[in-house]
Each structure stands twice: as C-alpha cells, then as structure tokens.
Amino acid sequence: MKIKIKPTITCPNCGHQKEEEKPTDTCQFFYKCESCKAILKPLEGDCCVNCSYGSVACPPIQENNSFGEITCCS
Ligand SMILES: [Zn+2]
C-alpha cells in the first residue's frame, strides 16, 4: 500500500481546497485556510486536521491500516 503524501485539505468554513505540497510524515494539529483565514482544528476523535478535513488519512494511520488496525498517531 502506497502512502499518499500530498493530501488535499478542504476547508469546512468556505469550501476552499488546497493540495499540500510538503510531505506529511507528521500530523498537523492546526491548519490555517489560505482563503478565509480560518484556523481549523481536528474534529473530536480525530488526531489531526488531515484526518478531519483532508482527502487522505495521516501517514501514521495509513501505515497502521496496512496492518488492519486504525490507531491514532499521537
Ligand atoms: Zn476557508
């Protein structure tokens, strides 16, 4: 299973989509929308904005999925 490293974050506030260019080998807890400047935080139960608003789960969860488990990256 190949890990996607360029997630697309969708802002829940304005719907703006942004493909992150930088490799994400760590989780991002806060994310600032470049369109409406809203500061996004993970939804309850999610470990990072990637999991809440991204197109792909964060790398640690993707790795864990290959072993059939879903665990948080914290
Ligand atoms: Zn926004």
Side-chain angles (χ1 to χ4, degrees):
M1 179 175 175
K2 190 158 172 45
I3 294 176
K4 299 177 183 177
I5 59 169
K6 292 173 72 174
T8 299
I9 304 285
T10 302
C11 175
N13 200 35
C14 69
H16 180 75
Q17 292 191 327
K18 163 83 168 156
E19 184 181 85
E20 290 298 300
E21 293 296 330
K22 59 176 178 283
T24 54
D25 55 353
T26 57
C27 288
Q28 193 174 2
F29 194 78
F30 292 107
Y31 178 82
K32 184 177 182 183
C33 174
E34 66 176 13
S35 178
C36 68
K37 312 302 182 193
I39 302 296
L40 310 183
K41 290 186 293 185
L43 299 174
E44 190 175 347
D46 285 336
C47 57
C48 61
V49 290
N50 221 21
C51 296
S52 294
Y53 308 111
S55 57
V56 296
C58 60
I61 283 186
Q62 289 186 43
E63 289 176 3
N64 287 336
N65 274 343
S66 65
F67 298 105
E69 289 181 25
I70 299 176
T71 52
C72 192
C73 51
S74 61

